[in-house]
Amino acid sequence: MTRWGDLRLIAGRWPDVPSLTGMIAELHRKSAQFAALWAEHPVRTCAAHTRAYRHPVVGPLTLTGELLVLSDDPGKRVVIYHAEPGSPSAAALRLPAAAARGGTVTAPPPRT
């Protein structure tokens, strides 16, 4: 639900941006689920989130994204992703660096 609140917050900050209002209108028309969630009027920032990704080389990753708002330009944000230390995702993220140093890259074993 937090992502919807973040979208509503952005839409409230820039209500006159045609591409944003057009996207929201299109989602509203084409998705009953979106329309129902949008009708709840959640408004909040999404400072951190954890999501699952699938990297084509290293396989599944679970990463946490931390949202940073730039103080000099509040319209721009930076998201920094990291894996939990000691997790399979942290080990998988080291594989591309090893390959760049001339090491061997093998995908981590599948998670159960």
Side-chain angles (χ1 to χ4, degrees):
M1 187 66 75
T2 302
R3 286 175 269 163
W4 299 111
D6 196 39
L7 178 59
R8 186 170 285 280
L9 183 69
I10 291 166
R13 284 185 184 153
W14 295 282
D16 299 324
V17 175
S19 59
L20 180 60
T21 56
M23 177 192 72
I24 292 168
E26 181 178 352
L27 287 168
H28 201 274
R29 280 191 314 273
K30 293 184 176 182
S31 170
Q33 181 184 14
F34 178 86
L37 289 169
W38 195 254
E40 292 177 11
H41 297 283
V43 178
R44 60 186 158 271
T45 59
C46 181
H49 60 276
T50 301
R51 295 193 181 131
Y53 298 91
R54 177 147 190 83
H55 189 278
V57 174
V58 301
L61 298 168
T62 300
L63 302 176
T64 298
E66 301 286 335
L67 179 66
L68 306 173
V69 176
L70 303 178
S71 60
D72 290 342
D73 189 350
K76 295 189 176 137
R77 305 177 302 171
V78 175
V79 181
I80 299 172
Y81 290 93
H82 61 88
E84 190 69 32
S87 69
S89 292
L93 286 175
R94 287 192 291 277
L95 293 174
R101 291 189 306 271
T104 304
V105 176
T106 56
R111 293 185 220 173
T112 56

